[in-house]
Amino acid sequence: MPQPPPPPPRFRRPPSLPPALLALLAGLLVVSSLAVGRATDWTPPDASRISHHGESHGSRASLDIPSPTQRRTSLLEAAPSRPPAAGPILDGSQLCALLDLNAAWHLWPTNSNRSRRCDQWDYIQCTRQGFIVSIDLSLGAVNATMPLTIFSRMPQLRRLVLSDNLLSGSITHLSLPSSLRVLDLSHTSISGALPLTLSALPALSYLDVSATSISDSLPSTLSRLSLLTYLNVGAWNITGRVEDLSWLSSLTNLHTLHAFVLDGLGSVTGDLPSLTFLTTLKAMQSL
């Protein structure tokens, strides 16, 4: 009797893998697929972007890759530009002095009155701390009388130029800060006598009061201006007597002197002292 066929073998399920090992295998599959994709997407570089070096380096070619300098330049060009730095902020006392000067001379528009930035005010220069150091209003910006005390409220003022203006009024009692180095009031209609306070300006090196309506002689107190290098008192309408000029010899730093011209009504009775240190001298003469 034939034997019955053996029963078919039972299917055994493979043992299950730990979850951590399954996650590791999945990650390896993802990385492999990305690498294959990049390899298939690669295209050769454009021949026009390949530059060949000289024969001394063989036939090696190099790609046109930006140099570090070019990369830095491109980054700088792409960076946003900074706005210009704001000018110094006027000190409160300086702003008040400017407002008073503007009320008398009407030089600046009303929008300047609301600004404390020095660069919003024409004709002036300031220190970083906001103190006025220079005022240049030459060439017809002023048509008013001379204020007597406003400039003395600017303790660091070094340069005051008011030449070639329709500026009038007496300056006999003019008050100026001791920091002043340059004073130019030439070609104006100021009158009176030179203020005695000029002798209290130890830093003054430049004084030009030529072509004005000043009608008094040079005060001998100017001999205290030991740093004076330029003095121009030409074209004065002096009507008195000029007797003592010996004090001029004490101005040993003076290298330029333009002396006054008389209008025929005055006279010079003294002698001009020997000023051998001068490089430029236009001496007195009677017309």
Side-chain angles (χ1 to χ4, degrees):
M1 168 171 199
Q3 295 291 331
R10 291 184 179 183
F11 176 76
R12 294 183 180 182
R13 298 180 62 183
S16 60
L17 298 176
L21 183 57
L22 290 174
L24 178 60
L25 292 174
L28 292 174
L29 290 174
V30 172
V31 172
S32 300
S33 62
L34 291 177
V36 172
R38 290 180 179 176
T40 56
D41 292 340
W42 180 84
T43 55
D46 186 2
S48 62
R49 299 186 61 192
I50 298 178
S51 59
H52 295 275
H53 293 281
E55 295 180 356
S56 61
H57 297 280
S59 59
R60 183 182 59 186
S62 63
L63 295 178
D64 188 11
I65 300 175
S67 66
T69 302
Q70 292 173 332
R71 288 196 294 268
R72 286 194 297 268
T73 303
S74 61
L75 288 175
L76 290 174
E77 292 175 350
S81 58
R82 295 182 180 180
I89 302 299
L90 281 167
D91 181 80
S93 63
Q94 305 300 278
L95 179 61
C96 291
L98 278 181
L99 292 176
D100 291 344
L101 185 61
N102 199 28
W105 285 358
H106 307 288
L107 294 172
W108 296 279
T110 54
N111 60 345
S112 296
N113 294 345
R114 296 189 296 268
S115 176
R116 292 190 61 177
R117 284 180 50 182
C118 182
D119 56 6
Q120 296 298 313
W121 296 77
D122 296 330
Y123 317 118
I124 72 170
Q125 295 179 3
C126 304
T127 64
R128 293 181 180 179
Q129 292 74 28
F131 285 89
I132 300 172
V133 294
S134 175
I135 299 179
D136 190 338
L137 291 165
S138 57
L139 301 176
V142 182
N143 184 2
T145 57
M146 185 73 174
L148 298 179
T149 60
I150 290 179
F151 299 114
S152 63
R153 294 158 55 188
M154 304 174 184
Q156 297 190 28
L157 184 64
R158 302 171 190 170
R159 187 170 181 269
L160 180 59
V161 179
L162 304 175
S163 58
D164 296 282
N165 279 292
L166 298 176
L167 187 63
S168 59
S170 173
I171 64 167
T172 303
H173 301 290
L174 178 64
S175 180
L176 296 168
S178 60
S179 59
L180 199 64
R181 299 178 184 178
V182 174
L183 178 60
D184 190 348
L185 304 176
S186 62
H187 297 274
T188 62
S189 297
I190 57 173
S191 58
L194 283 179
L196 296 178
T197 53
L198 284 181
S199 60
L201 305 179
L204 193 66
S205 61
Y206 185 102
L207 176 60
D208 191 345
V209 286
S210 61
T212 63
S213 297
I214 295 176
S215 57
D216 202 354
S217 61
L218 286 173
S220 60
T221 54
L222 293 182
S223 61
R224 302 174 188 172
L225 302 178
S226 60
L227 299 181
L228 194 65
T229 60
Y230 180 95
L231 176 60
N232 191 344
V233 289
W236 275 14
N237 292 322
I238 294 179
T239 58
R241 295 168 63 89
V242 182
E243 298 180 355
D244 183 14
L245 296 175
S246 60
W247 56 268
L248 284 173
S249 59
S250 63
L251 301 178
T252 55
N253 286 314
L254 191 69
H255 61 69
T256 301
L257 171 62
H258 294 257
F260 43 75
V261 178
L262 305 181
D263 63 356
L265 299 177
S267 60
V268 179
T269 59
D271 295 328
L272 190 66
S274 175
L275 304 176
T276 56
F277 44 82
L278 287 179
T279 58
T280 303
L281 171 63
K282 291 185 178 180
M284 304 176 186
Q285 57 180 335
S286 179
L287 300 181

